[in-house]
Amino acid sequence: MANLDAFASIKTGLFINILVSEYRHTSTGAFSSQTLTFSDYDRAKTVNSVVYTPLGKLLAVTTSNSELRPTADSVKVTLSGIPTLSIPEIVHSKIKGSPITIYRGYFEQDETQIGGYEKRFIGSINNYDLIEDFDVTTRSASNTIVLECSNTATILTTKFAGVQTN
């Protein structure tokens, strides 16, 4: 982890990588593998030779505890401002079970990076919620997707091991 003691103020950025092995744009389209990358940072950044698109305030990630031992903590990733035309891509793709990795970067106020990018969360998408807020007076809709993610420690505890006999 980067030593942050010498800095008066810093900015952080979260960089999210989701690998959807069965992604499609329409209900009848063919499945393809798609990597979705986005961040809450204010400009595009490259992490491990992958460019992360900024979503800014349209992205929220729940807080997590820093612990020495792996625990069964989960994380919720909230994406708001989703265009209505993009909702079928989420519904027709198989997002559940997709691996997700969240990196964190620290930056000075002049955009100079402090240390390297650190893995904050490794797991898979357990479930997702689609939330639509419809404004009757303006007849416009605002869509939000909440991804519920389980970490790898939780996934390993639910795995069955051993030999089954009759």
Side-chain angles (χ1 to χ4, degrees):
M1 183 169 168
N3 184 4
L4 304 176
D5 294 339
F7 300 96
S9 63
I10 59 169
K11 298 190 307 185
T12 64
L14 294 175
F15 304 90
I16 299 172
N17 185 317
I18 302 172
L19 175 62
V20 182
S21 60
E22 295 185 26
Y23 188 87
R24 63 181 171 183
H25 297 282
T26 62
S27 62
T28 58
F31 285 114
S32 64
S33 181
Q34 182 81 24
T35 301
L36 307 174
T37 57
F38 43 87
S39 75
D40 66 348
Y41 200 64
D42 58 355
R43 57 182 52 119
K45 286 286 185 182
T46 303
V47 179
N48 299 332
S49 69
V50 177
V51 177
Y52 288 79
T53 307
L55 295 180
K57 294 182 180 183
L58 299 179
L59 171 67
V61 179
T62 58
T63 59
S64 63
N65 297 327
S66 296
E67 299 180 7
L68 294 175
R69 297 178 191 251
T71 60
D73 285 344
S74 62
V75 167
K76 289 186 179 182
V77 176
T78 305
L79 302 166
S80 59
I82 305 296
T84 305
L85 297 175
S86 297
I87 296 298
E89 293 181 29
I90 302 301
V91 173
H92 299 303
S93 299
K94 295 185 180 179
I95 292 180
K96 288 184 184 179
S98 297
I100 180 170
T101 305
I102 302 175
Y103 298 93
R104 180 185 300 169
Y106 297 98
F107 304 92
E108 293 183 52
Q109 294 300 322
D110 64 354
E111 306 299 327
T112 305
Q113 186 173 346
I114 304 168
Y117 294 100
E118 302 168 356
K119 286 186 181 176
R120 177 178 178 228
F121 182 85
I122 302 169
S124 65
I125 297 174
N126 197 29
N127 204 355
Y128 67 92
D129 294 326
L130 296 172
I131 303 166
E132 179 184 36
D133 293 325
F134 186 75
D135 186 2
V136 179
T137 57
T138 62
R139 304 198 49 81
S140 63
S142 170
N143 298 301
T144 302
I145 298 172
V146 180
L147 304 173
E148 298 173 16
C149 308
S150 299
N151 66 13
T152 51
T154 304
I155 296 166
L156 291 175
T157 59
T158 60
K159 206 172 190 182
F160 291 106
V163 178
Q164 181 179 358
T165 60
N166 290 340

